[in-house]
Amino acid sequence: MTADATKDPFTSEMITDIVPMIDARYRTLGTPDGRALSGLSMGGIQTLNIGLHHLGTFRYLAVMSSGWTTPGDREFFYRTEGARFAAYNDALKLFWWGWGETDIARANGLDVIGRLKSQACASRRGRTPGGHEWANWRLYLSEVAQKLFR
């Protein structure tokens, strides 16, 4: 998993197969304002890769216990996406991050959030005791679900 979304095969599968299948099988709005994407741990990286590169598809992103894991991946993201940070503000209705105080991904997430914030990109943050664990992710889901589609 890298910050280069073109190297993530799940990105293409999500956009070309999964989203159209959901829209075809379920009563969805089928618009960016009616779509949210969230993931935890590695799924959080996939949320960033997919959501930030398809701002015309999703308006709500929630990243739980994640952030690109290597300094090289983070630097790649800053270098290739930095000019688009302001576009995130215009396109996203919610850009939410959560982590536990002892989470193994906390430092990675804080680094990314710090860079986004330094470029005037707004995001909401949640913090809980504990680490990289289900107890936190259940809390985050409950909090984020109440913020969707408003």
Side-chain angles (χ1 to χ4, degrees):
M1 195 60 45
T2 74
D4 184 351
T6 65
K7 293 183 179 176
D8 180 359
F10 188 60
T11 298
S12 175
E13 186 175 1
M14 176 65 80
I15 298 302
T16 61
D17 297 329
I18 297 171
V19 169
M21 183 268 309
I22 290 169
D23 286 343
R25 292 188 181 171
Y26 300 97
R27 222 171 52 187
T28 66
L29 295 178
T31 65
D33 287 338
R35 289 196 187 104
L37 186 63
S38 180
L40 54 96
S41 196
M42 186 175 84
I45 295 172
Q46 291 172 320
T47 295
L48 292 166
N49 284 345
I50 295 166
L52 296 178
H53 291 94
H54 295 90
L55 294 172
T57 304
F58 303 95
R59 291 287 185 259
Y60 303 84
L61 300 180
V63 179
M64 303 177 187
S65 297
S66 197
W68 289 285
T69 56
T70 69
D73 283 340
R74 289 191 299 277
E75 286 305 319
F76 176 86
F77 172 70
Y78 304 146
R79 186 175 60 255
T80 60
E81 292 295 309
R84 295 185 48 196
F85 288 175
Y88 300 166
N89 283 337
D90 296 337
L92 295 173
K93 292 185 174 188
L94 179 67
F95 193 15
W96 189 94
W97 293 68
W99 63 87
E101 283 296 324
T102 60
D103 197 312
I104 59 172
R106 180 177 179 263
N108 303 336
L110 286 172
D111 190 77
V112 176
I113 290 169
R115 185 65 65 99
L116 291 168
K117 187 176 178 181
S118 76
Q119 300 296 314
C121 178
S123 64
R124 294 184 184 179
R125 296 181 289 266
R127 182 174 70 194
T128 55
H132 203 78
E133 58 195 47
W134 282 109
N136 282 335
W137 301 327
R138 288 174 42 187
L139 292 172
Y140 304 156
L141 178 59
S142 175
E143 180 178 335
V144 169
Q146 296 175 51
K147 299 178 185 322
L148 299 177
F149 313 119
R150 297 190 179 258

